[in-house]
Amino acid sequence: MRKSQISASMMCSNLVDLQATIDVFEKEKVEYLHIDVMDGEFVPNFGLGVDYIRGLRELTSIPLDLHLMIKDPEYKLPWIGIYKEDIVTIHYESTFQVQRALDYLMPYGCKRFLAINPATPIGQIEEVLDYIDGVNLMVNPGFAGQKIVPSTLRKAEKLQKFLQEMHREDIILEVDGNITKEHGATLRSFGASIFVAGTSSIFCTDVSHFGEKIREFRKAVE
């Protein structure tokens, strides 16, 4: 089984403690910083933008997990400053030309993920399996602290079986939204290997306890 990795949700971080937070993440070897880019149109919220991303690059070399919850992302990629070590996720419903959007990501050399919402049928990804490195299985996107949609746990199992039937076990499964230790352990058993950690795991306390929470979460999903 693929090694489990943590992607820390930066929309849950306190800007006042940002440097201290990054210091803990580097010490604990957090694999990715999850950046929710939201445009207020594709989702009903505004999220982290290009200036935040540039500033974060100056603070750390931890790769970014760029989650683009924006309409027509293919036309906005040059704004962001994508590195080859990054993950870039677009949503199936965010563009009429999913394949084209994924093609536009190829020159960056990053990992290309496709996000599917709880109501998105798994079969929708079949025609773009050759264009993606991973799938991000989501709770309803747009806000931190939402409760997990119960069907998401069953959907992870269905997705695992689908990828096995398609002989595409190489595709990475990321899970995002209310990933508690308990949910993380269940989703790990269904093949998840990247866990977006937010207010349900790391950011449920102050920065002085983040290291402890990271270690607890790693143990649960190892």
Side-chain angles (χ1 to χ4, degrees), residues 88-154:
V88 179
T89 299
I90 66 169
H91 276 257
Y92 183 87
E93 295 88 355
S94 68
T95 173
F96 289 114
Q97 298 288 344
V98 176
Q99 180 180 328
R100 179 178 64 188
L102 292 166
D103 270 339
Y104 278 28
L105 278 170
M106 174 127 359
Y108 295 98
C110 60
K111 289 185 176 68
R112 299 177 293 172
F113 280 33
L114 188 66
I116 54 175
N117 291 331
T120 307
I122 288 170
Q124 298 282 54
I125 71 172
E126 182 174 356
E127 303 304 326
V128 293
L129 286 175
D130 291 336
Y131 298 86
I132 61 175
D133 301 292
V135 175
N136 186 347
L137 186 61
M138 300 232 19
V139 160
N140 291 330
F143 294 91
Q146 296 187 103
K147 298 300 181 184
I148 198 166
V149 176
S151 62
T152 303
L153 299 176
R154 298 190 298 274

